[in-house]
Amino acid sequence: MNRKEFINKSLRLGVLTGIVGGSLFLVKRNKVDFTCSADGVCKSCSLYRGCDFDKAKQSRNDER
């Protein structure tokens, strides 16, 4: 293996590592824990607008 091949392979491996690492970071970052921690008080919850629980959906429908 000469120097040119070594540099090319190293750069490819580095780019591949960056892509895989970046993808894993983005997937992990977007995980949201939708466990209810507001003792059932939906309107005071910080996740109220994006919550998928039936109680929150019903509460949003009742507002309209």
Coordinates of all heavy atoms in Angstrom, one line a residue:
M1 N 0.9 -1.2 0.0 CA 0.0 0.0 0.0 C 0.9 1.2 0.0 O 1.8 1.4 0.8 CB -0.9 0.0 1.2 CG -1.8 1.2 1.4 SD -2.8 1.3 2.9 CE -3.7 -0.2 2.9
N2 N 0.6 2.1 -0.9 CA 1.4 3.3 -1.0 C 0.7 4.4 -0.2 O -0.4 4.3 0.3 CB 1.8 3.7 -2.4 CG 0.5 4.0 -3.2 OD1 -0.5 4.3 -2.7 ND2 0.7 3.9 -4.5
R3 N 1.4 5.6 -0.1 CA 0.9 6.7 0.6 C -0.5 7.2 0.1 O -1.3 7.5 0.9 CB 1.9 7.8 0.6 CG 1.5 8.9 1.6 CD 2.5 10.1 1.5 NE 3.9 9.7 1.4 CZ 4.9 10.5 1.2 NH1 4.7 11.8 1.0 NH2 6.1 10.1 1.2
K4 N -0.6 7.3 -1.2 CA -1.9 7.8 -1.7 C -3.1 6.9 -1.4 O -4.1 7.4 -1.0 CB -1.7 7.9 -3.3 CG -2.9 8.5 -3.9 CD -2.7 8.7 -5.4 CE -3.9 9.3 -6.1 NZ -3.7 9.5 -7.5
E5 N -2.9 5.6 -1.5 CA -4.0 4.6 -1.1 C -4.3 4.8 0.4 O -5.4 4.7 0.8 CB -3.5 3.2 -1.4 CG -3.5 2.9 -2.9 CD -3.0 1.5 -3.2 OE1 -2.6 0.8 -2.2 OE2 -2.9 1.1 -4.4
F6 N -3.2 4.9 1.2 CA -3.4 5.0 2.6 C -4.2 6.3 3.0 O -5.2 6.2 3.8 CB -2.1 5.0 3.4 CG -2.2 5.3 4.8 CD1 -2.6 4.2 5.7 CD2 -1.9 6.5 5.4 CE1 -2.7 4.5 7.0 CE2 -2.0 6.7 6.7 CZ -2.4 5.7 7.6
I7 N -3.9 7.4 2.4 CA -4.6 8.6 2.6 C -6.1 8.5 2.2 O -7.0 8.9 2.9 CB -3.9 9.8 2.0 CG1 -2.6 10.1 2.7 CG2 -4.7 11.1 2.0 CD1 -1.6 11.1 2.0
N8 N -6.3 7.9 1.0 CA -7.6 7.8 0.5 C -8.5 6.9 1.4 O -9.6 7.3 1.7 CB -7.6 7.2 -0.9 CG -7.3 8.2 -2.0 OD1 -7.5 9.4 -1.8 ND2 -6.8 7.8 -3.1
K9 N -7.9 5.8 1.8 CA -8.7 4.9 2.7 C -9.0 5.6 4.0 O -10.0 5.4 4.6 CB -7.9 3.6 2.9 CG -8.0 2.7 1.7 CD -7.4 1.3 1.9 CE -7.5 0.5 0.6 NZ -7.0 -0.9 0.8
S10 N -8.0 6.3 4.6 CA -8.2 7.0 5.8 C -9.3 8.0 5.7 O -10.1 8.1 6.7 CB -6.9 7.6 6.3 OG -5.9 6.6 6.5
L11 N -9.3 8.8 4.7 CA -10.3 9.8 4.5 C -11.7 9.2 4.3 O -12.7 9.7 4.9 CB -10.0 10.7 3.3 CG -8.8 11.7 3.5 CD1 -8.5 12.4 2.2 CD2 -9.1 12.7 4.6
R12 N -11.8 8.1 3.6 CA -13.1 7.4 3.4 C -13.6 6.9 4.7 O -14.8 7.0 5.0 CB -12.9 6.3 2.4 CG -12.8 6.8 1.0 CD -12.7 5.6 0.0 NE -12.5 6.1 -1.3 CZ -12.0 5.5 -2.3 NH1 -11.6 4.2 -2.1 NH2 -11.9 6.0 -3.5
L13 N -12.7 6.3 5.5 CA -13.1 5.8 6.8 C -13.5 6.9 7.7 O -14.5 6.8 8.5 CB -11.9 5.0 7.4 CG -12.2 4.3 8.8 CD1 -13.4 3.3 8.6 CD2 -11.0 3.6 9.3
G14 N -12.8 8.0 7.7 CA -13.2 9.2 8.5 C -14.6 9.7 8.1 O -15.4 10.0 9.0
V15 N -14.8 9.8 6.8 CA -16.1 10.3 6.4 C -17.2 9.3 6.8 O -18.3 9.8 7.2 CB -16.1 10.6 4.9 CG1 -17.5 10.8 4.3 CG2 -15.2 11.7 4.5
L16 N -17.0 8.1 6.6 CA -18.0 7.1 6.9 C -18.3 7.1 8.4 O -19.4 7.0 8.9 CB -17.5 5.7 6.5 CG -18.4 4.5 6.9 CD1 -19.7 4.6 6.1 CD2 -17.7 3.2 6.5
T17 N -17.2 7.2 9.2 CA -17.4 7.3 10.7 C -18.2 8.6 11.1 O -19.1 8.5 11.9 CB -16.0 7.3 11.4 OG1 -15.3 6.2 11.0 CG2 -16.2 7.4 12.9
G18 N -17.9 9.7 10.4 CA -18.7 10.9 10.6 C -20.2 10.8 10.3 O -21.0 11.2 11.0
I19 N -20.4 10.1 9.2 CA -21.8 10.0 8.7 C -22.6 9.1 9.7 O -23.7 9.4 10.1 CB -21.9 9.4 7.3 CG1 -21.4 10.5 6.3 CG2 -23.3 8.9 6.9 CD1 -21.2 9.9 4.9
V20 N -22.0 7.9 10.1 CA -22.6 7.0 11.0 C -22.8 7.7 12.4 O -23.9 7.6 13.0 CB -21.8 5.7 11.1 CG1 -22.3 4.8 12.2 CG2 -21.9 4.9 9.8
G21 N -21.8 8.3 12.8 CA -21.9 9.0 14.1 C -22.9 10.1 14.1 O -23.7 10.2 15.1
G22 N -22.9 10.9 13.1 CA -23.9 12.0 13.0 C -25.3 11.4 12.9 O -26.2 12.0 13.5
S23 N -25.5 10.3 12.2 CA -26.8 9.7 12.1 C -27.3 9.2 13.4 O -28.4 9.4 13.8 CB -26.8 8.6 11.1 OG -26.5 9.1 9.8
L24 N -26.4 8.5 14.1 CA -26.8 8.0 15.5 C -27.1 9.2 16.4 O -28.0 9.1 17.2 CB -25.6 7.2 16.0 CG -25.4 5.8 15.4 CD1 -24.2 5.2 15.9 CD2 -26.6 4.9 15.5
F25 N -26.4 10.2 16.3 CA -26.6 11.4 17.2 C -28.0 12.0 16.9 O -28.8 12.3 17.8 CB -25.6 12.5 17.0 CG -25.9 13.8 17.6 CD1 -25.8 13.9 19.0 CD2 -26.3 14.9 16.9 CE1 -26.1 15.1 19.6 CE2 -26.6 16.1 17.5 CZ -26.5 16.2 18.8
L26 N -28.3 12.1 15.6 CA -29.6 12.7 15.2 C -30.8 11.8 15.7 O -31.8 12.2 16.1 CB -29.7 13.0 13.7 CG -28.8 14.1 13.2 CD1 -28.8 14.2 11.7 CD2 -29.2 15.4 13.9
V27 N -30.6 10.5 15.5 CA -31.7 9.5 15.9 C -31.9 9.6 17.4 O -33.0 9.6 17.9 CB -31.3 8.1 15.4 CG1 -32.2 7.1 16.1 CG2 -31.4 8.0 13.9
K28 N -30.8 9.6 18.2 CA -30.9 9.6 19.6 C -31.5 10.9 20.1 O -32.2 11.0 21.1 CB -29.5 9.4 20.3 CG -29.1 8.0 20.4 CD -29.0 7.8 21.8 CE -28.3 6.8 22.4 NZ -29.1 5.9 23.1
R29 N -31.1 12.0 19.5 CA -31.5 13.4 19.9 C -33.0 13.5 19.8 O -33.7 14.2 20.6 CB -30.8 14.4 19.1 CG -31.2 15.8 19.6 CD -30.5 16.8 18.7 NE -31.1 16.8 17.4 CZ -30.8 17.7 16.4 NH1 -30.0 18.7 16.7 NH2 -31.4 17.6 15.3
N30 N -33.6 12.9 18.8 CA -35.1 13.1 18.5 C -36.0 12.2 19.3 O -37.2 12.3 19.1 CB -35.3 12.9 17.0 CG -34.8 14.1 16.2 OD1 -34.7 15.2 16.7 ND2 -34.4 13.8 14.9
K31 N -35.4 11.3 20.1 CA -36.2 10.5 20.9 C -36.8 11.3 22.0 O -36.1 12.0 22.8 CB -35.4 9.3 21.5 CG -35.2 8.2 20.6 CD -34.7 7.0 21.3 CE -34.7 5.9 20.3 NZ -34.4 4.6 20.9
V32 N -38.1 11.3 22.2 CA -38.9 12.0 23.2 C -39.6 11.0 24.1 O -40.2 10.1 23.6 CB -39.9 13.0 22.5 CG1 -40.7 13.7 23.6 CG2 -39.2 13.9 21.6
D33 N -39.4 11.3 25.4 CA -40.0 10.4 26.4 C -41.4 11.0 26.6 O -41.6 12.0 27.2 CB -39.2 10.4 27.6 CG -39.8 9.4 28.6 OD1 -40.6 8.5 28.2 OD2 -39.4 9.5 29.8
F34 N -42.5 10.2 26.2 CA -43.8 10.7 26.4 C -44.5 10.1 27.6 O -45.7 9.9 27.6 CB -44.6 10.4 25.1 CG -44.4 11.4 24.0 CD1 -43.7 10.9 22.9 CD2 -44.8 12.7 24.1 CE1 -43.5 11.8 21.8 CE2 -44.6 13.6 23.1 CZ -43.9 13.1 21.9
T35 N -43.7 9.9 28.7 CA -44.4 9.4 29.9 C -44.9 10.7 30.6 O -44.3 11.7 30.7 CB -43.4 8.7 30.8 OG1 -42.3 9.6 31.1 CG2 -42.9 7.4 30.1
C36 N -46.1 10.5 31.1 CA -46.7 11.7 31.8 C -46.1 11.9 33.1 O -46.1 11.1 34.0 CB -48.2 11.4 31.9 SG -49.1 12.8 32.5
S37 N -45.6 13.1 33.3 CA -44.9 13.4 34.6 C -45.6 14.6 35.3 O -45.1 15.1 36.2 CB -43.4 13.7 34.4 OG -43.3 14.9 33.5
A38 N -46.7 15.1 34.7 CA -47.4 16.2 35.2 C -48.6 15.9 36.1 O -49.5 16.7 36.3 CB -47.9 17.1 34.1
D39 N -48.6 14.7 36.7 CA -49.7 14.2 37.5 C -51.1 14.4 36.9 O -52.0 14.7 37.6 CB -49.6 15.0 38.9 CG -48.4 14.7 39.6 OD1 -47.9 13.6 39.5 OD2 -47.9 15.6 40.3
G40 N -51.1 14.2 35.6 CA -52.4 14.2 34.9 C -53.0 15.6 34.6 O -54.1 15.7 34.2
V41 N -52.2 16.6 34.9 CA -52.6 18.0 34.6 C -52.1 18.4 33.2 O -51.0 18.9 33.1 CB -52.2 19.0 35.7 CG1 -52.8 20.4 35.4 CG2 -52.6 18.5 37.1
C42 N -52.8 18.1 32.2 CA -52.3 18.3 30.8 C -52.0 19.8 30.5 O -51.0 20.0 29.8 CB -53.3 17.7 29.8 SG -53.4 15.9 29.9
K43 N -52.8 20.7 30.8 CA -52.7 22.1 30.4 C -51.4 22.7 30.9 O -50.9 23.7 30.4 CB -53.9 22.9 30.7 CG -55.1 22.5 29.8 CD -56.3 23.3 30.1 CE -57.4 22.8 29.3 NZ -58.6 23.6 29.5
S44 N -50.9 22.2 32.1 CA -49.7 22.8 32.6 C -48.4 22.1 32.2 O -47.4 22.5 32.6 CB -49.8 22.9 34.2 OG -49.8 21.5 34.7
C45 N -48.6 21.1 31.4 CA -47.4 20.3 31.0 C -46.7 21.0 29.8 O -47.3 21.6 29.0 CB -47.9 18.9 30.5 SG -46.6 17.8 30.0
S46 N -45.4 20.9 29.8 CA -44.6 21.5 28.8 C -44.7 20.8 27.4 O -44.4 21.3 26.4 CB -43.1 21.6 29.2 OG -42.6 20.3 29.4
L47 N -45.1 19.5 27.5 CA -45.3 18.7 26.2 C -46.7 18.7 25.7 O -47.1 17.9 24.9 CB -44.8 17.3 26.5 CG -43.3 17.1 26.9 CD1 -43.1 15.7 27.3 CD2 -42.4 17.6 25.8
Y48 N -47.6 19.6 26.3 CA -49.0 19.5 26.0 C -49.3 19.5 24.5 O -50.1 18.7 24.1 CB -49.7 20.7 26.7 CG -51.1 20.8 26.5 CD1 -52.0 19.8 26.9 CD2 -51.7 21.9 25.8 CE1 -53.4 19.9 26.7 CE2 -53.0 22.0 25.6 CZ -53.9 21.0 26.1 OH -55.2 21.2 25.9
R49 N -48.7 20.4 23.8 CA -49.1 20.6 22.3 C -48.7 19.4 21.5 O -49.3 19.1 20.5 CB -48.5 21.8 21.8 CG -49.1 23.1 22.3 CD -50.4 23.3 21.7 NE -51.1 24.4 22.5 CZ -52.4 24.4 22.6 NH1 -53.2 23.5 22.1 NH2 -52.9 25.4 23.4
G50 N -47.7 18.7 21.9 CA -47.2 17.5 21.1 C -47.5 16.2 21.7 O -47.0 15.2 21.2
C51 N -48.3 16.2 22.8 CA -48.5 14.9 23.5 C -49.5 14.1 22.7 O -50.5 14.5 22.2 CB -49.1 15.3 24.9 SG -49.3 13.8 25.9
D52 N -49.3 12.7 22.7 CA -50.1 11.8 22.0 C -51.0 11.0 23.0 O -51.7 10.1 22.5 CB -49.3 10.8 21.2 CG -48.7 11.5 20.0 OD1 -49.3 12.5 19.5 OD2 -47.6 11.0 19.5
F53 N -51.1 11.3 24.2 CA -51.9 10.6 25.1 C -53.4 11.0 24.9 O -53.7 12.1 24.5 CB -51.6 10.9 26.6 CG -50.3 10.2 27.1 CD1 -49.4 10.9 27.8 CD2 -50.0 8.9 26.7 CE1 -48.2 10.3 28.3 CE2 -48.8 8.3 27.1 CZ -47.9 9.0 27.9
D54 N -54.3 10.1 25.1 CA -55.7 10.3 24.9 C -56.2 11.4 25.7 O -57.1 12.2 25.2 CB -56.5 9.0 25.1 CG -56.2 7.9 24.1 OD1 -55.8 8.3 23.0 OD2 -56.3 6.7 24.5
K55 N -55.8 11.5 26.9 CA -56.3 12.6 27.8 C -55.9 14.0 27.3 O -56.7 14.9 27.3 CB -55.7 12.4 29.2 CG -56.4 13.4 30.2 CD -55.9 13.0 31.6 CE -56.5 13.9 32.6 NZ -56.1 13.6 34.0
A56 N -54.7 14.1 26.8 CA -54.2 15.4 26.2 C -55.0 15.7 24.9 O -55.4 16.8 24.6 CB -52.8 15.4 26.0
K57 N -55.2 14.7 24.1 CA -55.9 14.9 22.8 C -57.4 15.3 23.1 O -57.9 16.3 22.5 CB -56.0 13.6 22.0 CG -54.7 13.2 21.4 CD -54.8 11.9 20.6 CE -53.5 11.5 20.0 NZ -53.6 10.2 19.3
Q58 N -58.0 14.7 24.1 CA -59.4 15.1 24.5 C -59.4 16.5 25.0 O -60.3 17.3 24.7 CB -59.9 14.1 25.5 CG -61.4 14.4 25.9 CD -62.3 14.3 24.7 OE1 -62.1 13.4 23.9 NE2 -63.2 15.2 24.6
S59 N -58.4 16.9 25.8 CA -58.3 18.2 26.4 C -58.2 19.3 25.3 O -58.8 20.3 25.3 CB -57.2 18.3 27.4 OG -57.1 19.6 27.9
R60 N -57.4 19.0 24.3 CA -57.2 19.9 23.1 C -58.5 20.0 22.3 O -58.8 21.1 21.9 CB -56.0 19.5 22.2 CG -54.7 19.7 22.8 CD -53.6 19.6 21.8 NE -53.5 18.3 21.2 CZ -52.8 17.2 21.6 NH1 -52.1 17.4 22.7 NH2 -52.8 16.1 21.0
N61 N -59.2 18.9 22.1 CA -60.4 19.0 21.4 C -61.5 19.7 22.1 O -62.3 20.4 21.5 CB -60.9 17.5 21.1 CG -60.1 16.9 20.1 OD1 -59.5 17.5 19.2 ND2 -60.1 15.5 20.1
D62 N -61.5 19.7 23.5 CA -62.4 20.4 24.3 C -62.2 21.9 24.2 O -63.1 22.7 24.4 CB -62.4 19.9 25.7 CG -62.9 18.5 25.9 OD1 -63.6 18.0 25.0 OD2 -62.7 17.9 27.0
E63 N -61.0 22.3 23.9 CA -60.7 23.8 23.8 C -61.3 24.4 22.6 O -61.6 25.5 22.6 CB -59.2 24.0 23.8 CG -58.5 23.8 25.1 CD -57.0 24.0 25.0 OE1 -56.5 24.2 23.8 OE2 -56.3 24.1 26.0
R64 N -61.4 23.6 21.6 CA -62.0 24.1 20.3 C -63.4 24.1 20.3 O -64.3 24.4 20.3 CB -61.5 23.2 19.1 CG -60.0 23.2 19.0 CD -59.6 22.3 18.0 NE -58.1 22.2 18.0 CZ -57.4 21.3 17.5 NH1 -57.9 20.3 16.9 NH2 -56.1 21.3 17.6

